[in-house]
Amino acid sequence: MGVQIVDTGSYVPETVRTNLQMQEICPDCDPEWIEQRTGIRERRIVGANESTCDLAVAAAQQVMAKAGVYAKDIDLLIVGTFTPDYHCPSTACLVQDRLGLDAPAFDISAACSGFMYAVTTGAQYVATGNAKMALVIGADSNSRIVDQKDRTIAPLFGDGAGAVLLSAGTLQQGFKSYHLASDGSGAGMLDRPCGGSKNPITAEGIASRQHYLQMDGRNVFKWAVRTVVESIEVVLESAQLSVHDVSLFALHQANQRIIDSVADKLNVSRDRFYNNVHKYGNTSAASIPLVLDEANSEGKIDRGDTILMCGFGAGLTWGTSLFVW
């Protein structure tokens, strides 16, 4: 506690790719099937000259402008991403330079849980007085690591970025409870087999398309629903709250059916879950901060509200929190 989200910001690329346009690229993609099975109607795609750094910088500039915060005010930068511009340097260092910050900067790689890992880490620095103003960004260019001709995975992902500024708040503000977890035994359910130090990129790897993201969709879906429900129950019990005390549910926008299944298992009305997956698809680490920024901009979040955030994805990793706004 004692940490506040000062403001929110976001950015999505200008290029919109609808389900019909997906079918033009991948003939096996049926537009109606995509929407029925995922809730996704369109997604945003980075331009030829855009990268994850560009998305992150744009989201950061927006939140800084909204909050009236300048580069000199920020003394910590954390970027959650699993689609960095380069293996090194970190994307955070590129963002730091572009924004003109005098601050330590580092990436956190936890895939679709990246923002949850990043924002809870940033909050520790603020809560202990080791940072006065932390800029936390979730940004991913998923279209760059997805085989656009793979109908099982290409329609699911989009690109974008979201950002928040954290500073000291009242003792009533901050993380009332949070839960981060991992299970590496499920690593093979969602991975990029080729491109790391174990399996460097080779002509053979590219020919077999192993440098693209691979996913066991059916088992990931089952795991996600079960794990998210259990994690939400953990943070509610820890905070001695119930689902009725939550003002807004901000879940990772992976699939509308996952979100609906979680709502049903918790016996919570689906309309209490903010959704924008239909517009952006799965934006990985950008997903939750995009939801926060849209909900905040629409006046759906007020000071004192308890926001439940939950991210889940490759690793396997997941993170859930109850944040008092």
Side-chain angles (χ1 to χ4, degrees), residues 51-53 79 81-94 105-109 144-145 192-202 210-212:
S51 69
T52 297
C53 175
V79 177
T81 185
F82 83 136
T83 58
D85 283 32
Y86 310 102
H87 281 302
C88 69
S90 71
T91 298
C93 280
L94 302 178
F106 58 91
D107 289 355
I108 286 184
S109 178
R144 293 280 167 81
I145 65 166
R192 286 180 75 192
C194 179
S197 60
K198 182 174 182 177
N199 294 308
I201 291 179
T202 62
Q210 293 295 296
H211 60 304
Y212 286 126

Side-chain angles (χ1 to χ4, degrees), residues 176-179 228-246 266 306 308 320-322:
K176 200 167 185 65
S177 175
Y178 71 91
H179 174 227
V228 169
V229 170
E230 290 175 353
S231 187
I232 289 175
E233 290 174 341
V234 165
V235 296
L236 287 171
E237 181 178 358
S238 175
Q240 296 184 324
L241 297 177
S242 76
V243 292
H244 305 294
D245 297 307
V246 176
L266 292 172
T306 299
L308 190 143
T320 306
S321 71
L322 287 167

Side-chain angles (χ1 to χ4, degrees), residues 33 49 192 195 301:
W33 184 91
N49 298 316
R192 286 180 75 192
I301 301 177

Side-chain angles (χ1 to χ4, degrees), residues 41 48 50 64 67 83 104 109 119 150 267 271 295:
R41 299 172 193 160
E50 280 186 310
M64 290 167 66
T83 58
S109 178
V119 74
D150 183 347
N267 292 316
D271 61 15

Side-chain angles (χ1 to χ4, degrees), residues 53-251:
C53 175
D54 296 314
L55 305 182
V57 168
Q61 290 173 331
Q62 188 191 82
V63 70
M64 290 167 66
K66 288 168 65 176
V69 167
Y70 299 94
K72 63 180 178 60
D73 302 318
I74 297 170
D75 54 1
L76 177 66
L77 169 63
I78 307 175
V79 177
T81 185
F82 83 136
T83 58
D85 283 32
Y86 310 102
H87 281 302
C88 69
S90 71
T91 298
C93 280
L94 302 178
V95 174
Q96 171 269 323
D97 178 58
R98 292 267 298 276
L99 295 176
L101 306 183
D102 180 13
F106 58 91
D107 289 355
I108 286 184
S109 178
C112 300
S113 306
F115 179 76
M116 293 308 303
Y117 272 65
V119 74
T120 51
T121 299
Q124 310 301 325
Y125 281 84
V126 173
T128 57
N130 284 291
K132 293 182 179 179
M133 180 75 69
L135 172 58
V136 179
I137 305 170
D140 274 306
S141 302
N142 297 304
S143 63
R144 293 280 167 81
I145 65 166
V146 168
D147 184 350
Q148 295 298 322
K149 294 188 180 298
D150 183 347
R151 70 179 181 87
T152 65
I153 195 168
L156 305 178
F157 290 91
D159 308 326
V164 298
L165 285 166
L166 302 177
S167 73
T170 70
L171 292 179
Q172 287 72 46
Q173 292 175 298
F175 287 101
K176 200 167 185 65
S177 175
Y178 71 91
H179 174 227
L180 301 179
S182 65
D183 179 10
S185 69
M189 290 167 62
L190 190 53
D191 67 352
R192 286 180 75 192
C194 179
S197 60
K198 182 174 182 177
N199 294 308
I201 291 179
T202 62
E204 292 77 15
I206 293 175
S208 61
R209 311 188 85 72
Q210 293 295 296
H211 60 304
Y212 286 126
L213 193 66
Q214 315 285 319
M215 182 172 69
D216 178 357
R218 184 182 300 274
N219 284 321
V220 167
F221 183 98
K222 293 178 181 178
W223 164 81
V225 173
R226 181 183 70 253
T227 301
V228 169
V229 170
E230 290 175 353
S231 187
I232 289 175
E233 290 174 341
V234 165
V235 296
L236 287 171
E237 181 178 358
S238 175
Q240 296 184 324
L241 297 177
S242 76
V243 292
H244 305 294
D245 297 307
V246 176
S247 308
L248 183 75
F249 289 83
L251 268 59

Side-chain angles (χ1 to χ4, degrees), residues 262-283:
V262 169
D264 294 345
K265 288 184 178 296
L266 292 172
N267 292 316
V268 175
S269 173
R270 293 181 180 182
D271 61 15
R272 293 177 60 197
F273 289 72
Y274 190 96
N275 300 314
N276 59 18
V277 67
H278 60 288
K279 295 191 293 184
Y280 306 127
N282 183 340
T283 55

